[in-house]
Amino acid sequence: MKSLLIVILNLIALVVMPVMAQAQQSLVQDPVAFEKEHFSKRCEGQASFGDGFATERDINNDSLTDIVVNEGEITCKGEKGPDCTDEGCPYNFYIHVAEGGYILVATARIYGYDFIQRFGNMVLVMKMHPRFCDRTEGDSCEITVRVRGVKFVTVAKK
């Protein structure tokens, strides 16, 4: 009887867990089209997108092309970068997964980023407002991040 209960609970877990995982993060087939559609609706059809709006690059070293969206390259009803502040513009990082499609893994308000090789691995060096390095003023903060799978791992702050 006890083993039957364990089997039933395992079957329920096999059915429920994939549904819960999918509910947490859904795949996007085309992040650029997804973002453009979102902003076209938000801007009531008066949105334009600059050349640097979307960048394709493998940011997590898995040989699949990922996409970084720079919301500072959006012009909405005549206003460039409507969500940009003195702390930077929102950037959305989409990771291409082997199952097909992309997952939004991070959104960061940054001034920009460089993609460089360090110790044999490609890393992102994000330029951010000084407050992200626990400073109130001065030079921008540089946070170096390595992307492993679908997780951002902070390597250094300066």
Side-chain angles (χ1 to χ4, degrees):
M1 184 67 179
K2 190 175 183 179
S3 62
L4 180 61
L5 180 62
I6 291 172
V7 169
I8 291 171
L9 290 175
N10 284 334
L11 285 173
I12 291 171
L14 286 172
V15 172
V16 172
M17 293 307 278
V19 172
M20 288 174 57
Q22 189 173 12
Q24 290 175 3
Q25 185 66 271
S26 59
L27 290 176
V28 176
Q29 293 305 313
D30 185 351
V32 177
F34 176 78
E35 294 268 352
K36 284 184 174 182
E37 181 182 342
H38 167 75
F39 282 101
S40 292
K41 285 179 184 175
R42 178 179 159 189
C43 301
E44 299 170 357
Q46 299 177 40
S48 61
F49 306 91
D51 292 338
F53 173 68
T55 304
E56 293 184 6
R57 165 168 247 149
D58 177 18
I59 64 172
N60 65 343
N61 302 297
D62 67 355
S63 300
L64 297 174
T65 303
D66 307 308
I67 295 178
V68 180
V69 172
N70 174 1
E71 292 186 20
E73 290 290 320
I74 299 168
T75 302
C76 180
K77 298 181 185 177
E79 179 185 359
K80 184 156 173 72
D83 294 330
C84 296
T85 67
D86 63 337
E87 293 187 357
C89 296
Y91 281 69
N92 298 321
F93 295 87
Y94 289 90
I95 300 295
H96 192 179
V97 293
E99 296 81 18
Y102 295 80
I103 297 175
L104 175 64
V105 295
T107 297
R109 185 171 297 278
I110 60 179
Y111 300 133
Y113 69 92
D114 291 317
F115 196 65
I116 62 171
Q117 187 165 7
R118 219 176 252 166
F119 305 113
N121 293 302
M122 298 304 285
V123 295
L124 292 168
V125 179
M126 298 184 287
K127 294 170 190 71
M128 305 177 87
H129 189 276
R131 79 177 180 91
F132 292 105
C133 286
D134 302 320
R135 298 190 310 261
T136 56
E137 54 188 46
D139 292 337
S140 61
C141 172
E142 288 188 358
I143 297 181
T144 303
V145 174
R146 176 158 186 229
V147 185
R148 289 189 164 181
V150 295
K151 291 186 177 192
F152 277 44
V153 178
T154 301
V155 176
K157 283 184 181 185
K158 70 175 185 175

